Amino acid sequence: MKKFGLVLAGGGARGLAEIGVLKVLEKYNLIPNIITGTSMGGIVGGLYAAGITPSQMEDFSKELVFGKMLDAKYPLYLFEERKSKKAKLAKYFSIGASLVALGKKNALDSGRKIEYFLNKVTRGKDFSELRIPFACVAADLVSGKEVVLNSGKLYRAIRATISLPFVFEPFEYNGMLLVDGGIVSNAPVDIARKIGADIVLAVDVIGDIRRRKKEAFRTPFDTARRVARIAQNHIYEKELKSCDIVIRTGLDLETLDFSRNEECIMKGEEDMEKEIKKLKGLLEG
């Protein structure tokens, strides 16, 4: 059978759909030979390569309280999606507090609590101890280049690939300052092929770039996020076109909105089920 490469894209909370994709792949005993990922895809892919089952990840997601994994002194949790009008208004008032925080630090959160969690859940495993070859991507602020992480401690690589600019502090690693890999490669298909994948299935959790109303851009943060999304999309779509299969699970969900985790996972399961027959045909052909 041909070597099967699984590429897990970044997309914040929407990336939990990738757990659903893994659940279905396991159901049909279609275990990837190679996994690559970026940002949230780096978390899901890295944990799976380390031996954490999709069911265990699903349990983690049910107990996940995002605010508890952040530095309490910074107001990052206020950027989560709020349902009530009063809460949404409070979100905009929090922008001022965030600007003050950014004036004193280079990000809203140090990432130390998340790093501790990743070290604990991966049991400090090294890449050489993984059951499935895995690589994730980050961007180096110093050199301006893409960095492929596939050696050393797994938790450190994951911490680097999730370092969303302005949100988490850049991760210092071997003289580099690493930030979220989505800047340079949100779907590292080429890396999966270089490692040896014959057939590549990518999981797109972002979806097509959607038209927004002019009223949606009320703050510099809104504009900055949109600019980054537009720039990222041009690279991202080219990457997806080079795949054999793309599972598109994108939900209309804020990046840091972890209130619909079960829905995300179920969406991943549903969309993967639709492509199982095609995947089997490509691997057996």
Side-chain angles (χ1 to χ4, degrees), residues 158-263:
I158 297 175
R159 167 64 179 86
T161 194
I162 66 170
S163 301
L164 190 64
F166 305 113
V167 175
F168 294 113
E169 287 184 4
F171 188 65
E172 293 191 37
Y173 185 77
N174 290 343
M176 300 180 287
L177 274 180
L178 302 180
V179 294
D180 195 301
I183 296 171
V184 289
S185 177
N186 200 47
V189 179
D190 60 331
I191 296 169
R193 294 203 187 276
K194 285 177 183 177
I195 295 173
D198 299 308
I199 301 298
V200 174
L201 181 150
V203 184
D204 167 29
V205 297
I206 296 179
D208 295 332
I209 191 165
R210 297 179 177 87
R211 186 178 179 83
R212 298 291 186 186
K213 294 181 179 179
K214 289 186 289 184
E215 293 75 21
F217 307 105
R218 298 182 180 180
T219 72
F221 281 90
D222 295 328
T223 301
R225 287 171 62 192
R226 184 63 167 178
V227 168
R229 177 71 178 91
I230 292 169
Q232 180 191 61
N233 189 68
H234 284 281
I235 301 171
Y236 186 49
E237 286 301 322
K238 288 180 181 178
E239 291 178 314
L240 294 179
K241 284 179 181 178
S242 65
C243 297
D244 298 286
I245 302 178
V246 178
I247 307 297
R248 295 187 182 270
T249 67
L251 292 169
D252 190 7
L253 188 67
E254 289 289 322
T255 301
L256 301 178
D257 181 4
F258 288 89
S259 66
R260 295 162 59 187
N261 296 355
E262 289 186 51
E263 181 185 350

